[in-house]
Amino acid sequence: MVKMKVNVIRGKNQIGGNIIEISTDNTKILLDAGLELDNDKQDELPDIPALFEYAGYDAVFVSHYHGDHLGLVYKAHRDISVYIGESSYNIIKTTDNYKGNETITPKGFLHHKEEIVVGDITVTPFLCDHSAFDSYMLLCSSGGESVLYTGDFRSNGRKPFSMLLNSLPKKIDKLICEGTTFSREGYFAVTEKTLEEKAVKLFSENKGPVFILQSSMNIDRAVTMYRAAKRTDRVFLEDAYMSGITTAAGEHIPNPKFSDVYAFITSPSKYRFVSEYKRKVGKDRISKMRFAMCVRTTMLPYLKSLSEKMSFEDGLLIYSFWSGYKNDEKMKEFLSECEAMGLKIETLHTSGHADENAVRKFIDTVNPDVIIPVHTENAERFREIAPEILVEI
Ligand SMILES: [Zn+2]
Ligand SMILES: [Zn+2]
């Protein structure tokens, strides 16, 4: 019988930068080819000639578009086939175009439960919830063996966790599982729905403008904030970059084609990115609107000029990132300048990663013989939460 081998090239005892090799005697594929999260380490390519110098892999399957899973695909040898979710691809194509970067050319797209056969390995994607839109778990099968890679996932998003659990096989041989939250003791993941309720309260209690500092690529969060804006009679404002992303994500995601979403630009050079939208507004109109505006730290000069046209009194800045980013110099400056403009800073965030309860529930569902922890700084914790299962650290 052909044996399927698992080799975690990178990502075992660290968060991010996943590169996982699955091979048989005849076929060799990678699950994710990510960059390290640490910016300083990103220029150094890992020593994998078969990925960069020649096509030593038959394919790379990308679980989702976060750089720590996708980043190295841009540098991979062009003869290696790339597979990624279709909406994911539409989103990265849009962001690459916006930034003037060359994009990738996938050979095919991942769709929920649609098998892709590469040599003697069959890969089945399972749509899961994460802070990246269109994320997949990847099930590899060959010669009666099965290996499931979770990618990044959570149970606290808008998609019901039970939907994912019901669709998965009830017995697998090996589970390559993420444990991002295991270094935060006693961590409990708040749901997006709870965030929405908190946002509704804040958006109605504070009468001034609302600014939301969040990742434009976090579509679930954009939906949460849009819903809160709608419920409190605020129009939702997205800049050129975010408008492109939400439009690429699909017609159900709040984008400037919605009647209560408007596009705005922070400089005339960005106009070409919003020209297709009927609903676009400039500072003069914005200053007279009741709104919730998505912002980024690079928009500080724009916010300053807007504050000269309208009062920021009783206004809010919603900080919707992981708290660790508050130590970043650029972030510190942005937050203190926002405070100086009279905005009150409120944190509303929840993780894109499963907490321990969700991981335990997940393990119970797929019932693996072996667990291989990845994307974690506390792999040992798997031995405590699943003592009956062999954990390969
Ligand atoms: Zn990740
Ligand atoms: Zn991720």
Side-chain angles (χ1 to χ4, degrees):
M1 197 176 78
V2 194
K3 276 269 168 209
M4 213 173 8
K5 289 196 207 83
V6 178
N7 175 20
V8 180
I9 298 175
R10 191 165 71 184
K12 243 191 163 174
N13 288 302
Q14 66 177 53
I15 294 177
N18 282 12
I19 309 171
I20 299 161
E21 182 185 282
I22 307 285
S23 62
T24 63
D25 289 346
N26 313 313
T27 308
K28 228 162 111 174
I29 63 170
L30 286 180
L31 307 181
D32 287 340
L35 282 168
E36 300 250 17
L37 281 179
D38 185 344
N39 286 337
D40 299 337
K41 293 185 187 163
Q42 289 183 350
D43 290 336
E44 226 177 278
L45 283 189
D47 184 22
I48 315 171
L51 176 59
F52 304 113
E53 287 161 30
Y54 64 98
Y57 289 98
D58 299 293
V60 184
F61 287 80
V62 182
S63 63
H64 64 286
Y65 57 60
H66 281 156
D68 61 319
H69 299 256
L70 164 74
L72 287 177
V73 173
Y74 285 81
K75 294 175 177 159
H77 194 279
R78 290 188 174 235
D79 291 343
I80 301 175
S81 305
V82 176
Y83 295 90
I84 186 168
E86 190 163 10
S87 297
S88 294
Y89 176 62
N90 289 335
I91 289 172
I92 58 169
K93 200 170 57 178
T94 305
T95 58
D96 284 335
N97 175 39
Y98 185 89
K99 293 173 185 166
N101 295 341
E102 202 182 321
T103 198
I104 55 167
T105 312
K107 168 142 192 224
F109 296 120
L110 307 178
H111 293 118
H112 183 60
K113 291 186 91 168
E114 284 183 18
E115 293 179 350
I116 296 170
V117 179
V118 178
D120 55 9
I121 300 177
T122 301
V123 179
T124 314
F126 291 86
L127 185 67
C128 66
D129 202 295
H130 178 47
S131 43
F133 194 61
D134 197 31
S135 295
Y136 293 90
M137 297 197 170
L138 300 165
L139 176 72
C140 302
S141 322
S142 184
E145 284 184 318
S146 54
V147 176
L148 177 65
Y149 166 51
T150 61
D152 290 349
F153 77 105
R154 65 174 179 174
S155 67
N156 52 314
R158 292 192 172 272
K159 290 184 204 69
F161 193 38
S162 56
M163 227 162 71
L164 168 70
L165 297 182
N166 291 338
S167 70
L168 287 164
K170 301 296 169 271
K171 174 77 206 149
I172 56 163
D173 297 312
K174 289 184 181 173
L175 174 65
I176 307 167
C177 190
E178 75 124 311
T180 316
T181 66
F182 289 8
S183 27
R184 309 172 208 168
E185 210 180 315
Y187 176 75
F188 167 79
V190 171
T191 64
E192 287 289 333
K193 189 75 200 143
T194 304
L195 280 195
E196 181 185 324
E197 297 309 320
K198 287 185 178 172
V200 165
K201 194 161 177 281
L202 287 169
F203 291 12
S204 47
E205 279 171 4
N206 293 271
K207 303 295 169 221
V210 169
F211 299 95
I212 303 152
L213 185 63
Q214 69 151 86
S215 161
S216 304
M217 304 276 272
N218 189 338
I219 303 292
D220 258 30
R221 186 60 41 80
V223 171
T224 295
M225 294 302 170
Y226 163 75
R227 289 175 59 94
K230 193 177 178 66
R231 288 171 61 186
T232 53
D233 292 320
R234 290 176 183 271
V235 292
F236 197 63
L237 304 178
E238 300 177 357
D239 82 312
Y241 180 67
M242 188 165 177
S243 296
I245 293 169
T246 53
T247 303
E251 54 181 6
H252 303 298
I253 303 304
N255 68 69
K257 290 179 181 153
F258 279 39
S259 61
D260 44 11
V261 180
Y262 290 79
F264 68 99
I265 49 172
T266 51
S267 91
S269 65
K270 306 276 169 28
Y271 186 79
R272 66 193 169 99
F273 296 109
V274 299
S275 56
E276 66 164 303
Y277 304 116
K278 267 197 279 177
R279 254 177 290 282
K280 41 189 181 290
V281 277
K283 261 181 253 161
D284 287 335
R285 262 181 83 195
I286 291 175
S287 66
K288 295 177 186 70
M289 286 173 140
R290 181 175 155 81
F291 63 81
M293 175 192 279
C294 297
V295 295
R296 291 190 301 283
T297 52
T298 49
M299 289 184 198
L300 193 54
Y302 180 84
L303 291 188
K304 283 185 179 165
S305 68
L306 185 63
S307 75
E308 286 159 16
K309 287 193 181 283
M310 66 181 291
S311 165
F312 280 10
E313 204 189 312
D314 207 17
L316 276 183
L317 176 81
I318 304 292
Y319 177 88
S320 194
F321 279 109
W322 174 57
S323 60
Y325 293 138
K326 280 186 183 159
N327 300 323
D328 182 82
E329 285 308 316
K330 241 182 137 191
M331 184 63 82
K332 272 190 209 162
E333 187 201 342
F334 182 82
L335 295 176
S336 74
E337 294 278 356
C338 282
E339 268 181 324
M341 285 186 277
L343 298 173
K344 194 163 101 195
I345 297 172
E346 294 278 358
T347 299
L348 277 187
H349 184 59
T350 188
S351 177
H353 300 276
D355 59 22
E356 278 185 18
N357 280 337
V359 173
R360 179 68 248 195
K361 209 169 165 185
F362 183 79
I363 292 170
D364 284 342
T365 301
V366 296
N367 198 15
D369 291 333
V370 178
I371 296 174
I372 302 166
V374 290
H375 211 279
T376 185
E377 286 171 343
N378 189 6
E380 279 289 339
R381 188 75 186 133
F382 278 93
R383 292 199 166 129
E384 288 157 17
I385 67 163
E388 75 286 11
I389 301 172
L390 177 68
V391 178
E392 277 180 14
I393 291 176

